[in-house]
Amino acid sequence: MGSGFITEDFDAAQWENIEPYAHDLLNRELNCSGCLETLIKDCSTLAEHISEAGTLLSIAMTCDTESEAKRQAYLDFIENAQPKLSEFGDAFNRRLADHPAVGDLPPRYDLMIKCIRTDIETFREENIPLQIEEAKLETEHSTITGAMTVEFEGEEKTFPQMALYFESTDRSIREAAWRAVVERMSQDTERLSEIYDKLIRIRHQIAVNAGFDDYRSYIFEAKHRYDYSMEDCLEFHDSIERVCVPMMHEIQGLRREALRVATLRPWDVSEKSGGGVDIHGRPPLRPFEDVEGLITGCSNVFHDMSPELGGMFDMLRERESLDLESRKGKAPGGYQANLEKTRIPFIFMNAAGTHDNLSTMLHEAGHAFHSCYSSDLELIGERNPPLEFAEVASMSMELMSHPQWSVFYSDEEARRAKLDDLEKIVCFLPWMATIDAFQHWVYANPEHTREDRSEHWLELRRRFGPKTDWSGFEELKETSWQGQLHLFQVPFYYIEYGIAQLGALQMWHYHRRDAADGLARYARAMRLGNTKPLPELFRAAGLDLGFDEEHVASLIGELSEAMAEIRA
Ligand SMILES: [Zn+2]
C-alpha cells in the first residue's frame, strides 16, 4: 500500500513468489536514517499479502470441508510456505532487533519490538516440523467434526441444525435429539482422544525445545501475555467459583422447578452456555426466517444504534463478505477473519434461525467493526489487537444492541431473550473457568493417562459445573470436553473470553447509563487497534482489567440489577 515495495498482485500462498521480497528484506543495505522504518513498513506490506492469501485458503476450506482440492490447497500452504515463512520471520526479527539503530526508533515501535524479542526467545528451528504436524492434526479435527451429521426426523442434519431441537418444549424430542448427537460424536471419541494425546505430546515438546518446563509457561510467552500471570488466571477461577457458581445453581434450580422435573438432564440445559428450552413452555425464539432476514434485521439494528455502525455493516454485505447459512460440509462454529490486504473483514457462521445465531451475528459484527475502526492504522501488527481486547469489541456489541432487539422481537420476546442472555453470562463464566483450568492441568501434567484426564475433567465439572444428571451416560460425560473446539485448535485461547467478558460488562454498564457515551468509548478504544498494551486498551474506554473477587462481584452485581429491571 503506497510504498512501491510490492506494486503487483501475486499469489502469496506460494513460497517461490514470496522469496524475492523476503530476500530483499533480509539483505538490503541499511545505512540511512529512516531505513529501519521503511524496512518495517515493507515487511508489513509483504505480511499483508501473505496473510490474505492464507486467510482466503482457510476460508475456502471451512466453507467447503468436503472439497479435497480446497483442503489440499490449504495444506500445501501450511506444509510448504509456512515453514519457510517461520524461518524468514525469525531471521527478519533478528535483523531488526540486533540492528544498532533499533534503540532510536520512535516510541510507536516499542510494543512491536518487545513482541519481536519474545518471538526470538521462543523460536526454535527444530519446532517447525512439530508445528506442521500440529497444524495437520488440527485440520484433521476440522474434517472429522465438519463431517458430523445425523439422521433426524427423516433428514440428514448438521449439528448446528440440531441445535433447534434442544429448544423444543417437548422433552422427548430434546432427549432424542441429544441422544442422536452424542451417539454420532461417540463414533469419533476414540479418534479425537488420539488426536488430543498427540497434540499434547507435540505441544509439550515444542515448549521443552524452546527451553520451558511445560507448555503453559511457553504459551504465556508465545501469546505475549505480558499483563497477567498464571496466578491471575487461577485467582480468576476462584473468583468465578465464589461469585458465579452459586448464582448459576440458583438459576438452574429455578429451571428445574419451572420444568417440574426431579433432576435436570443434559437435554434440559446446555452445560456450556447454561441455555436451553424456555422454562415457561413458550416455543423457541425465531428471530429470523432466513439469512436474508438476518442480514436486513442486523442492518436495521446497527443503523439505529449509529449511522457509522450501520454503514460499516452494509459495506460487508455489499462486498459479499458474509457466508452465514448452515449447510453440510461447512465447518461448525462462527468466526470473523481479517483480509489484511483489502482490509475487509469476512464473517462465517452456520445460521439456522435461532436466537443463538442472532447473538453470533451481533458478536462477529463487533469483531468486524473493530477491524473497520482500526483499518487506517498503517502496519499489520498495529491493527491486530490482543484477543483479550478483541473479544470486548464483540461481546459488548451483543449487549449494547439490546435496545434495538425490537427489530427481531415483540416486547415480550425481547425481554425473554435479554434475560436468557444475561443468565448465560453468569453460566458461561464457570464453563470458561472449567476449560481454562482443564488446560492448565493437561499441560502441567503432560504424562497423564486418559483415565487421569477423565477424572480431572469430572472433578472440574463438580467444582464449576451445573448439577446436571448424566446417569446412563457416565462414559460420555468423561469426554464431554471433546465438544470444545478450542482445546484442539487454539490451545489456551479461552481465558480471553472471560477477561473480555468483564470488559464488555463494563462497556455495557456505561452504555446503559448513556448510549452515546458508551459508543464513543467503544470507538475510541477500538481505533487504537494493537498500538497500546492491554491495560491501556482497557483504560482508553474507561475499563478496569482485574481478576479479584471484588471486581467480579461488583460487575455481576450490576448485571443482577439489570436483570431485575428487565423482569420488573
Ligand atoms: Zn469472538
Side-chain angles (χ1 to χ4, degrees):
M1 290 211 132
S3 79
F5 169 62
I6 298 174
T7 49
E8 287 166 79
D9 271 332
F10 67 104
D11 180 3
Q14 306 294 328
W15 173 249
E16 65 265 27
N17 297 335
I18 300 167
E19 195 172 15
Y21 298 109
H23 183 85
D24 171 40
L25 291 168
L26 293 180
N27 295 288
R28 73 167 69 155
E29 271 185 60
L30 296 172
N31 38 27
C32 63
S33 72
C35 275
L36 280 190
E37 283 192 81
T38 311
L39 184 77
I40 291 168
K41 172 78 193 77
D42 289 349
C43 187
S44 169
T45 306
L46 179 61
E48 286 170 2
H49 281 261
I50 299 165
S51 165
E52 180 147 332
T55 303
L56 287 172
L57 291 173
S58 157
I59 289 174
M61 181 182 72
T62 52
C63 288
D64 186 5
T65 55
E66 285 177 346
S67 162
E68 186 55 40
K70 288 175 188 169
R71 183 162 64 245
Q72 206 45 58
Y74 180 68
L75 283 176
D76 276 350
F77 176 70
I78 295 292
E79 286 172 42
N80 300 320
Q82 209 59 264
K84 304 274 191 197
L85 286 168
S86 295
E87 267 177 64
F88 159 70
D90 183 58
F92 181 85
N93 284 346
R94 286 170 198 277
R95 179 161 209 224
L96 188 59
D98 293 345
H99 196 277
V102 74
D104 304 333
L105 283 169
R108 172 186 171 190
Y109 298 95
D110 288 355
L111 183 59
M112 181 190 154
I113 299 295
K114 182 178 178 181
C115 293
I116 282 179
R117 293 198 193 283
T118 305
D119 293 346
I120 292 172
E121 274 168 42
T122 50
F123 179 85
R124 294 292 183 282
E125 206 172 324
E126 67 261 37
N127 278 339
I128 295 178
L130 291 172
Q131 279 152 349
I132 298 171
E133 202 52 41
E134 185 187 14
K136 279 190 190 165
L137 287 163
E138 289 163 8
T139 307
E140 191 182 346
H141 172 265
S142 288
T143 310
I144 290 173
T145 50
M148 283 185 184
T149 61
V150 291
E151 274 286 309
F152 200 74
E153 295 191 331
E155 274 178 64
E156 187 178 20
K157 308 254 185 209
T158 61
F159 279 15
Q161 287 165 341
M162 289 304 286
L164 290 174
Y165 297 100
F166 298 139
E167 296 175 29
S168 167
T169 50
D170 183 335
R171 200 181 194 201
S172 64
I173 292 180
R174 292 202 302 276
E175 178 174 351
W178 189 82
R179 281 175 183 269
V181 165
V182 295
E183 218 160 89
R184 176 62 189 84
M185 281 176 77
S186 64
Q187 290 171 21
D188 287 312
T189 299
E190 177 61 24
R191 185 63 198 127
L192 290 178
S193 285
E194 265 171 40
I195 289 178
Y196 201 48
D197 290 343
K198 284 189 192 167
L199 283 170
I200 293 164
R201 267 202 302 281
I202 289 171
R203 287 167 182 165
H204 181 69
Q205 192 58 48
I206 286 173
V208 171
N209 288 350
F212 292 85
D213 290 339
D214 63 33
Y215 190 67
R216 289 181 309 164
S217 30
Y218 166 83
I219 200 82
F220 268 65
E221 282 294 296
K223 283 177 162 291
H224 302 161
R225 289 181 174 175
Y226 301 125
D227 305 297
Y228 61 96
S229 64
M230 256 186 264
E231 289 66 38
D232 288 329
C233 295
L234 302 182
E235 182 185 17
F236 195 15
H237 303 163
D238 289 341
S239 304
I240 290 170
E241 185 181 7
R242 283 197 280 270
V243 176
C244 302
V245 171
M247 217 169 140
M248 174 185 73
H249 287 319
E250 215 173 284
I251 291 169
Q252 301 197 338
L254 293 175
R255 167 172 291 267
R256 192 181 53 73
E257 281 166 28
L259 294 178
R260 296 203 198 90
V261 292
T263 55
L264 288 177
R265 307 293 324 252
W267 45 87
D268 296 322
V269 63
S270 153
E271 68 166 354
K272 179 175 170 176
S273 74
V277 57
D278 181 62
I279 60 170
H280 300 298
R282 293 166 292 194
L285 292 167
R286 288 283 172 268
F288 58 95
E289 286 282 327
D290 51 22
V291 160
E292 200 37 50
L294 175 63
I295 295 175
T296 309
C298 283
S299 173
N300 292 337
V301 164
F302 293 128
H303 275 286
D304 195 42
M305 286 178 76
S306 85
E308 188 174 45
L309 296 180
M312 288 178 189
F313 185 79
D314 290 349
M315 184 271 293
L316 297 179
R317 169 196 228 167
E318 281 151 25
R319 303 295 289 259
E320 295 180 358
S321 233
L322 306 166
D323 186 331
L324 309 181
E325 87 270 5
S326 179
R327 51 172 196 270
K328 182 168 179 264
K330 206 170 149 178
Y335 65 79
Q336 187 268 155
N338 288 328
L339 296 172
E340 297 289 356
K341 191 158 63 83
T342 46
R343 301 202 186 177
I344 307 237
F346 172 83
I347 296 178
F348 171 100
M349 66 178 282
N350 286 277
T354 64
H355 174 72
D356 275 357
N357 297 153
L358 172 60
S359 298
T360 303
M361 183 74 237
L362 296 166
H363 178 101
E364 303 306 339
H367 284 306
F369 297 151
H370 201 175
S371 303
C372 293
Y373 275 125
S374 57
S375 71
D376 288 342
L377 295 166
E378 192 183 20
L379 304 172
I380 186 168
E382 290 177 318
R383 298 194 297 271
N384 284 282
L387 296 163
E388 295 85 347
F389 196 67
E391 295 297 335
V392 174
S394 51
M395 290 174 155
S396 60
M397 194 47 66
E398 291 181 56
L399 290 162
M400 293 191 300
S401 63
H402 275 188
Q404 277 73 29
W405 285 9
S406 51
V407 166
F408 292 98
Y409 294 127
S410 68
D411 284 355
E412 150 92 15
E413 288 170 333
R415 249 201 318 275
R416 170 183 162 193
K418 288 173 201 170
L419 269 180
D420 280 359
D421 278 9
L422 298 182
E423 286 184 355
K424 282 181 189 166
I425 291 176
V426 177
C427 300
F428 174 73
L429 285 168
W431 176 258
M432 184 287 293
T434 311
I435 294 294
D436 193 57
F438 183 61
Q439 304 200 72
H440 275 267
W441 180 87
V442 158
Y443 293 102
N445 302 281
E447 303 297 331
H448 66 260
T449 64
R450 286 189 196 173
E451 289 70 39
D452 299 337
R453 188 158 71 209
S454 298
E455 212 170 281
H456 189 71
W457 174 250
L458 294 178
E459 193 183 313
L460 290 171
R461 300 303 293 132
R462 283 190 291 275
R463 183 177 168 205
F464 295 110
K467 294 187 173 114
T468 317
D469 174 8
W470 281 67
S471 25
F473 303 98
E474 286 79 4
E475 234 174 276
L476 269 169
K477 191 181 184 187
E478 290 175 9
T479 51
S480 64
W481 52 268
Q482 291 191 347
Q484 190 63 56
L485 168 143
H486 296 65
L487 294 172
F488 294 88
Q489 305 265 349
V490 272
F492 277 96
Y493 177 16
Y494 221 65
I495 191 94
E496 288 88 339
Y497 291 113
I499 295 172
Q501 185 69 74
L502 299 188
L505 284 172
Q506 295 172 72
M507 190 87 85
W508 176 52
H509 294 323
Y510 282 122
H511 185 263
R512 286 174 61 224
R513 290 191 277 271
D514 177 349
D517 173 60
L519 290 177
R521 287 170 184 275
Y522 184 88
R524 194 190 313 143
M526 299 312 149
R527 281 198 188 97
L528 292 175
N530 187 39
T531 57
K532 299 275 184 255
L534 182 63
E536 285 185 49
L537 294 175
F538 267 66
R539 258 197 305 277
L543 319 176
D544 287 328
L545 179 64
F547 303 91
D548 55 281
E549 186 178 343
E550 202 186 325
H551 182 54
V552 175
S554 120
L555 294 176
I556 296 294
E558 270 190 78
L559 181 130
S560 297
E561 281 167 29
M563 284 164 79
E565 267 172 44
I566 296 171
R567 283 201 192 96

